[in-house]
């Protein structure tokens, strides 16, 4: 029995298979069973192989894993100072390890929110704007059991960021299916930090789905910090639904993990809104990171800005496949997309494919990409100023990376990421 067959067969023992989502679950499982794992002949996965994942005997989560907890000192290295902390242990939300004191938002366990909200809640928030053709979203939909529903009421400004901290400590290779729903009411403001860390020696695969709904005039800043161990892989599907005059930005920092796939999708549901997507990958060894983005401009007078960078060393690989779709009705669209890459090794690899599909005729759209090595002239200039070659290379790559970091709006997070970047690039930085 291969891994796909094992996961499909496991559904009969799934304790939530007959709950409020039963029909949705079975339809999603059928789709996953029919399509199976994507391969390189699938255009969206052309540069990313899942053979190693398929060769690992991952089990789906087990209920007993939820009972595990960690001492506060285990959390401390990963906590961003000043944030509300929501902790997930082996895919399960842990209220006793979380801290939301003084919060002006609500946090409800996913299944509780689905059952309490009933069919209208499910229809509004579950699979509302997800990509129906994505097999990993379908797998998550079939097995979604743990996660949270975060609601920020109309007009509320959440001053402190919410940090979603996922910790795993399994005794066998495990695939987790976390599912979160985040809703920002009209004129609400929220900052979110998401981090995944494997604390064990077992192989871990996280298949995460997050659906975010940003109402009229609301502001969202979402930060994904991916700096896991090399025995961890992450497949992340994030769907952002925006209403008129809203602002939503997602920063993705990919530094760790053996295989990381980020599917980031923005859907426009009103005029005069703005979407920002920024990413930075710093990879070495045989790491593989794949960024797949979509911005669907479906209304006039909207803007989107994409800026992704990568620094790739050794035999690592970075993929960027970004798509801007401008529908015929979306006149006066302003869309920008740029992907820049630095190769630090002859064996490092970058695949970049920025795309524009425009069906409107009154738009301002541009896209581009660059792939190259460090400037020999710049290196020589720094060396003539008494800086060693290794240190000079570190300073140049740090300056290249820092342009993405500059737009982070959480000072404690900016300092935290700055420290990671400086360490990876071998430079000393005064914060």
């Amino acid at each position: 029995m291969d891994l796909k067959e094992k996961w499909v067969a496991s559904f009969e023992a799934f304790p939530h298979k007959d709950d409020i989502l039963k029909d949705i679950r079975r339809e999603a499982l059928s789709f996953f069973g029919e399509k199976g794992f994507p391969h390189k002949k699938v255009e969206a996965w052309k540069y990313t192989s899942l053979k190693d994942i398929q060769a690992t005997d991952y089990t789906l989560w087990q209920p007993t894993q939820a009972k595990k907890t960690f001492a506060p000192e285990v959390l401390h290295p990963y906590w961003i100072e000043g944030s509300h902390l929501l902790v997930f242990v082996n895919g399960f939300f842990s209220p006793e390890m979380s801290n939301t004191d003084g919060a002006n938002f609500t946090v409800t366990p996913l299944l509780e929110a689905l059952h309490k909200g009933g069919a209208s809640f499910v229809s509004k928030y579950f699979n509302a704007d997800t990509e129906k053709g994505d097999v990993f979203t379908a797998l998550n939909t079939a097995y979604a059991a743990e996660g949270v529903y975060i609601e920020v009421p109309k007009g509320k400004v959440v001053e402190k960021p919410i940090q979603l901290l996922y910790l795993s400590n399994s005794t066998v290779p495990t695939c987790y299916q976390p599912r979160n729903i985040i809703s920002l009411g009209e004129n609400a403001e929220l900052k979110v930090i998401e981090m995944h860390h494997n604390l064990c020696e077992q192989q871990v695969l996280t298949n995460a789905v997050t659906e975010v709904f940003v109402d009229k005039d609301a502001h969202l800043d979402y930060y994904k910090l991916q700096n896991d161990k090399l025995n961890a892989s992450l497949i992340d599907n994030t769907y952002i639904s925006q209403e008129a005059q809203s602002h939503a930005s997602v920063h993705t920092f990919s530094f760790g993990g053996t295989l990381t796939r980020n599917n980031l999708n923005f859907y426009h549901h009103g005029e005069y809104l703005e979407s920002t997507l920024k990413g930075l990958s710093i990879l070495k060894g045989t790491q593989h990171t794949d960024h797949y983005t979509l911005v669907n401009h479906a209304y006039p007078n909207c803007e989107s800005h994409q800026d992704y960078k990568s620094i790739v060393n050794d035999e690592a690989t970075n993929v960027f496949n970004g798509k801007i779709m401008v529908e015929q009705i979306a006149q006066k669209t302003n869309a920008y997309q740029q992907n820049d890459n630095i190769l630090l090794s002859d064996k490092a690899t970058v695949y970049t494919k920025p795309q524009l599909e425009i069906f409107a005729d009154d738009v301002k759209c541009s896209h581009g990409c660059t792939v190259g090595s460090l400037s020999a002239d710049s290196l020589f200039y720094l060396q003539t100023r008494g800086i060693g070659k290794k240190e000079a290379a570190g300073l140049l790559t740090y300056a290249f990376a820092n342009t993405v970091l500059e737009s982070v709006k959480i000072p404690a997070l900016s300092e935290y990421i700055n420290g990671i970047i400086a360490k990876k690039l071998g430079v000393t930085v005064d914060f």
Side-chain angles (χ1 to χ4, degrees), residues 14-22 25 108-123 126 144-146 149 181:
F14 183 55
H16 305 289
K17 68 179 187 297
D18 293 319
D19 66 2
I20 191 173
L21 300 176
K22 62 181 180 180
R25 292 186 189 281
T108 308
L110 178 66
L111 291 184
E112 180 182 333
L114 292 170
H115 284 274
K116 185 185 296 183
S120 61
F121 182 91
V122 172
S123 176
F126 196 86
E146 282 300 328
Y149 167 58
I181 299 172

Side-chain angles (χ1 to χ4, degrees), residues 309-330:
K309 294 189 173 185
S310 76
I311 300 167
V312 189
N313 205 348
D314 302 328
E315 298 179 43
T317 301
N318 188 79
V319 181
F320 174 77
N321 192 333
K323 185 175 182 179
I324 297 172
M325 172 74 74
V326 183
E327 298 185 15
Q328 187 173 0
I329 193 176

